């Protein structure tokens, strides 16, 4: 079978048949440049505008908040580099993390990641729906409950259709959406940046303000840690670490920094408690309908990759469904959650509070996963990742003691230093109000290195 014929197995507007099963070399195709458009398009979301505005709300000046935006965006280098594991194994990130935690030890993180994926998809769907509702009301096509219901149906349909087709269509949609959204958000930056107040605040923000700003800005990149291999598993094995790291990172950095700075600039000029309304008030009247379209488009592009990974996530948990069937279940739960969020306002607040608390879990999880990947130099026994009792990653009854101990150490540190709406750790006050949750990843990574550096099974992939 020729290269051209094999590449067509994963083609645009054709339902992808692969799930977490390893992608055969004969079906690998594409290049590192595809990752630029994937991470660039999916991060052209209004969420970064909101995050940038929050940095100012925490007491940072324009330049201080901008520095946090830029520094946090550099974490995309780690996210993108983690995609090498997908190239080496041909499977999804949450399958590969079995090497760090064990087949059974990986299961709790899989459940929580599915919950987080669905939660963030609901949040994005709600934001996109509200923007489209305003568009419909502004044009007189519909109003009230009818407009909201119609807007929700359209937003869900756009997200589900692209995700159902699968990997190739997801990359295609992200690329073409990026062209349109980049132009629109570029215009937004032109409108809000000149009026930014760049003077220093009356009082220094303090350690609490700095730490909260970093937590907010890093939450976005950290949420991608369980999914980079999902989008590199089709790339040929010859694709280099350098190429995927730079192209993917630049995509995420450019979009997140541009929109984060737009949020910072807007927050120095107006009240951004309602971020959509606040930003809209800074724009010329003719651009406001286009702005709402940008909010809708950014919400959909981000939901697409999150929902796609959630369908693979269900397979990781051992549910014997095809990717398409697993996706249908995730989409149904997303639709139900979005209905609740749109018509029960308290649900939206509770959901956001719950999601903010889950960084206590995913910061330490990410630290162990990245440490394991570095220590193994991304060399895995791909077949053993899908095996059970007879596999190299079964360890002790399905649990890797070093991985579980390191995860618990990171969880403990994160819980003690977390400052969220649902939980405030006992060390937050002694630390001057600082939220050090993200350092749970450093703690867990170091503990894992100390426990596993001499015990990791050696594996050399076949040439």
């Amino acid at each position: 079978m020729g290269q051209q014929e094999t590449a067509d197995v994963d083609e645009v507007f054709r339902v992808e048949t692969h799930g977490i099963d390893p992608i055969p070399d004969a079906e690998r195709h594409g290049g590192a440049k595809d990752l630029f458009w994937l991470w660039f398009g999916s991060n052209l979301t209004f969420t970064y505008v909101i995050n940038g505005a929050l940095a100012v709300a925490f007491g940072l000046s324009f330049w201080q908040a901008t520095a946090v935006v830029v520094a946090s965006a550099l974490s995309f280098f780690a996210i993108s580099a983690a995609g090498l594991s997908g190239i080496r194994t041909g499977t999804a990130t949450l399958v590969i993390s079995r090497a760090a935690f064990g087949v059974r030890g990986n299961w709790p993180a899989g459940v929580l990641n599915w919950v987080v994926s669905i939660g963030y998809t609901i949040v994005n769907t709600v934001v996109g729906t509200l923007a489209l509702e305003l568009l419909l009301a502004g044009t007189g096509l519909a109003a009230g409950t009818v407009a909201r219901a119609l807007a929700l149906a359209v937003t869900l349909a756009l997200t589900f259709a692209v995700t159902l087709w699968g990997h190739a269509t997801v990359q295609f949609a992200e690329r073409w959406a990026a062209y349109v959204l980049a132009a629109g958000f570029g215009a937004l930056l032109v409108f809000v940046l000149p009026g930014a107040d760049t003077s220093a605040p009356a009082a220094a923000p303090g350690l609490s303000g700095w730490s909260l700003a970093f937590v907010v800005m890093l939450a976005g990149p950290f949420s991608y840690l369980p999914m980079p291999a999902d989008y590199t598993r089709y790339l040929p094995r010859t694709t280099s670490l350098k190429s995927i790291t730079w192209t993917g990172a630049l995509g995420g950095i450019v979009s997140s920094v541009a929109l984060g700075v737009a949020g910072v600039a807007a927050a120095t000029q107006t009240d951004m408690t309602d971020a959509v309304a606040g930003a809209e008030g800074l724009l010329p009247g003719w651009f406001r309908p286009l702005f709402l379209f940008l909010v809708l488009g950014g919400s959909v592009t981000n939901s697409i990759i999150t929902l796609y990974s959630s369908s693979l996530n269900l397979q990781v948990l051992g549910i014997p469904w095809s990717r398409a069937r697993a996706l249908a279940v995730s989409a149904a739960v997303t639709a139900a959650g979005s209905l609740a969020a749109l018509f029960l306002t308290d649900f939206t607040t509770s959901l956001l509070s719950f999601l903010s608390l889950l960084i206590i879990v995913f910061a330490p999880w990410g630290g162990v996963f990245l440490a394991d990947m570095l220590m193994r130099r991304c060399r895995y026994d791909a077949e053993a990742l899908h095996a059970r009792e007879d596999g190299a990653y079964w360890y002790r009854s399905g649990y890797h003691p070093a991985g579980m101990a390191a995860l618990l150490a990171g969880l403990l540190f994160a819980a003690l230093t977390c400052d969220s709406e649902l939980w405030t750790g006992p060390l937050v006050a002694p630390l001057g109000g600082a939220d050090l949750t993200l350092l749970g990843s450093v703690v867990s990574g170091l503990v894992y290195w100390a426990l596993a550096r001499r015990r990791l099974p050696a594996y050399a992939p076949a040439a």
Side-chain angles (χ1 to χ4, degrees), residues 219-294:
F222 260 75
S223 69
Y224 294 126
L225 264 178
M227 64 178 72
D230 302 2
Y231 303 100
T232 58
R233 70 194 203 283
Y234 276 95
L235 294 178
R237 292 182 188 273
T238 54
T239 310
S240 70
L241 171 63
K242 180 180 179 181
S243 64
I244 66 166
T245 300
W246 278 97
T247 54
L250 286 177
I253 289 171
V254 171
S255 50
S256 64
V257 167
L259 296 187
V261 171
V264 171
T268 64
Q269 303 172 64
T270 188
D271 180 11
M272 290 287 283
T273 304
D274 182 341
V276 173
E280 191 178 13
L282 299 175
L283 304 173
W286 64 267
F287 189 75
R288 292 177 185 178
L290 295 176
F291 167 70
L292 295 174
F293 174 78
L294 293 175

Side-chain angles (χ1 to χ4, degrees), residues 131-425:
L132 183 54
E133 179 188 358
L134 290 174
L135 275 173
L136 293 173
T139 57
L141 294 175
T145 303
V146 174
R148 180 165 292 190
L150 179 59
L152 175 60
V154 171
T155 305
L156 286 171
L158 289 172
T159 304
F160 179 72
V162 173
T163 313
L164 177 62
W165 274 312
H167 175 265
T169 310
V170 166
Q171 290 195 319
F172 174 84
E174 294 290 353
R175 179 168 187 161
W176 285 97
Y179 295 151
V180 178
L181 294 176
F185 278 120
L188 171 69
L189 195 60
V190 169
F191 289 132
V192 302
L193 194 57
D197 179 5
T198 58
S199 59
L207 183 59
S208 174
W210 282 101
S211 65
L212 288 171
F214 270 109
V215 167
V216 166
M217 291 307 304
L218 283 167
F222 260 75
S223 69
Y224 294 126
L225 264 178
M227 64 178 72
D230 302 2
Y231 303 100
T232 58
R233 70 194 203 283
Y234 276 95
L235 294 178
R237 292 182 188 273
T238 54
T239 310
S240 70
L241 171 63
K242 180 180 179 181
S243 64
I244 66 166
T245 300
W246 278 97
T247 54
L250 286 177
I253 289 171
V254 171
S255 50
S256 64
V257 167
L259 296 187
V261 171
V264 171
T268 64
Q269 303 172 64
T270 188
D271 180 11
M272 290 287 283
T273 304
D274 182 341
V276 173
E280 191 178 13
L282 299 175
L283 304 173
W286 64 267
F287 189 75
R288 292 177 185 178
L290 295 176
F291 167 70
L292 295 174
F293 174 78
L294 293 175
V295 175
L296 168 64
S299 298
V300 170
T301 58
N302 194 262
S303 291
I304 285 171
I305 69 165
T306 307
L307 192 59
Y308 176 82
S309 287
S310 76
S311 65
L312 299 178
N313 200 161
L314 288 178
Q315 292 186 319
V316 172
L317 296 177
I319 300 175
W321 292 340
S322 66
R323 186 196 63 84
R325 187 176 179 184
L327 174 64
V329 172
S330 292
V333 176
T334 298
S338 299
L339 282 169
L342 286 165
F343 295 99
L344 300 172
T345 54
D346 289 341
F347 178 85
T348 305
T349 303
S350 300
L351 178 64
L352 287 170
S353 298
F354 172 68
L355 291 174
S356 69
L357 188 63
L358 286 183
I359 197 165
I360 291 178
V361 177
F362 281 100
W365 181 91
V368 175
F369 173 69
L370 292 175
D372 182 78
M373 188 182 69
L374 288 171
M375 292 165 69
R376 295 179 192 273
R377 297 187 180 181
C378 244
R379 295 190 179 101
Y380 300 93
D381 184 339
E383 292 184 6
L385 289 171
H386 298 271
R388 294 187 65 81
E389 287 85 348
D390 58 343
Y393 305 123
W394 186 250
Y395 301 110
R396 295 182 185 175
S397 302
Y399 298 91
H400 188 196
M404 302 308 294
L407 178 62
L408 289 174
L411 285 172
L412 177 62
F413 179 88
L416 291 173
T417 59
C418 174
D419 184 13
S420 71
E421 292 186 25
L422 296 181
W423 169 258
T424 300

